Amino acid sequence: MHRHLVPRRWAGPLFLAGALLAACGGGATTSGSPTAQVVPSAGAASTGGQSAGASPTAMASQAAGPGGPSQAPDTGGGTTTGDIPDNAVFLTYRNAAHGFSIQYVEGWQVTTAPDGVVVRDKDSSESVTVVALPSDIGAYISGTDLPSLQSQTGYKFVKQDAIAVGTRHYDHVMVKMPAPPDPVTGKSIPSTVDRYYVPGANGLAIVSLSTPDGVDNVDAFRQMIQSFGWS
């Protein structure tokens, strides 16, 4: 077999051409390159910690009564494992019919119900259900609410206590329950649900925060329950 060798007199020009090509390509960046830079799009300049190009829904509160519109459909921008990112943006949902408001993560799907609201993202969720205010909340939990949960497959009682939320104290129950079936796969994964019972002039709000087992959403869920308020 004959080898085709480059004559020595061409080695210098070839090296110079390669160097020139490398220099010309020095202004381009690729994903993962240590020198890659992200150039903001027009209108995305920061103003006081808020993006000037942010969508209106990122800055506006959502308001709806039972059966009414609440938010545009989920665009798929939520998390995939149930883990809420530290930089998540929170919006405020307001229910005029029952007179309450609560924060939720932008991108989660909001569904207004006759007795409150359900907000979901993949396997995590928060919901508010308003019932008539009982004279004894503890008795209502033990005699009505928990028995209604026990009928669900995979239910497991963990504990019942009272928890300080800011300057307030709420009755609280922790249970194990499968998350609602995924709309695509139909699978339900084991989850932990914290239920807070918040009395007010308009009734008793049962705030349920559900997260997949093994996922840490403590900070985000604390913000959600602390944000709840009666109007």
Side-chain angles (χ1 to χ4, degrees), residues 80-83 108 118-127 149 152-156 175-194 208-215 217 221:
T80 57
T81 62
D83 189 14
W108 285 28
V118 178
V119 193
R120 289 192 59 185
D121 176 62
K122 307 299 185 294
D123 298 309
S124 294
S125 68
E126 66 174 316
S127 67
L149 298 176
Q152 302 188 36
T153 303
Y155 166 87
K156 179 182 179 181
V175 298
K176 297 282 189 178
M177 294 176 59
D182 184 280
V184 177
T185 64
K187 295 182 179 180
S188 296
I189 67 172
S191 299
T192 299
V193 183
D194 287 283
S208 299
L209 306 176
S210 175
T211 190
D213 289 345
V215 173
N217 284 333
F221 280 0

Side-chain angles (χ1 to χ4, degrees), residues 146 156-161 163 172-175 193-194:
L146 288 181
K156 179 182 179 181
F157 176 82
V158 178
K159 65 179 179 178
Q160 179 178 351
D161 55 13
I163 288 185
H172 165 261
V173 165
M174 179 184 291
V175 298
V193 183
D194 287 283

Side-chain angles (χ1 to χ4, degrees), residues 134-149:
S135 58
D136 187 331
I137 296 177
Y140 168 81
I141 295 172
S142 301
T144 302
D145 195 49
L146 288 181
S148 71
L149 298 176

Side-chain angles (χ1 to χ4, degrees), residues 36-225:
Q37 297 180 350
V38 178
V39 180
S41 60
S46 175
T47 56
Q50 189 174 62
S51 173
S55 63
T57 58
M59 298 176 284
S61 296
Q62 305 297 323
S70 54
Q71 178 185 322
D74 187 5
T75 56
T79 56
T80 57
T81 62
D83 189 14
I84 301 172
D86 293 337
N87 61 348
V89 176
F90 283 82
L91 305 179
T92 298
Y93 169 86
R94 302 183 190 279
N95 189 298
H98 293 291
F100 70 83
S101 63
I102 192 169
Q103 291 185 355
Y104 67 96
V105 179
E106 182 183 28
W108 285 28
Q109 183 177 6
V110 179
T111 303
T112 299
D115 57 358
V117 67
V118 178
V119 193
R120 289 192 59 185
D121 176 62
K122 307 299 185 294
D123 298 309
S124 294
S125 68
E126 66 174 316
S127 67
V128 179
T129 302
V130 179
V131 300
L133 182 62
S135 58
D136 187 331
I137 296 177
Y140 168 81
I141 295 172
S142 301
T144 302
D145 195 49
L146 288 181
S148 71
L149 298 176
Q150 291 172 1
S151 62
Q152 302 188 36
T153 303
Y155 166 87
K156 179 182 179 181
F157 176 82
V158 178
K159 65 179 179 178
Q160 179 178 351
D161 55 13
I163 288 185
V165 178
T167 58
R168 299 164 291 182
H169 286 79
Y170 297 149
D171 285 279
H172 165 261
V173 165
M174 179 184 291
V175 298
K176 297 282 189 178
M177 294 176 59
D182 184 280
V184 177
T185 64
K187 295 182 179 180
S188 296
I189 67 172
S191 299
T192 299
V193 183
D194 287 283
R195 291 169 72 84
Y196 300 86
Y197 301 82
V198 187
N202 301 330
L204 178 67
I206 305 174
V207 182
S208 299
L209 306 176
S210 175
T211 190
D213 289 345
V215 173
D216 182 4
N217 284 333
V218 173
D219 292 337
F221 280 0
R222 181 185 298 114
Q223 179 169 339
M224 290 176 187
I225 186 59

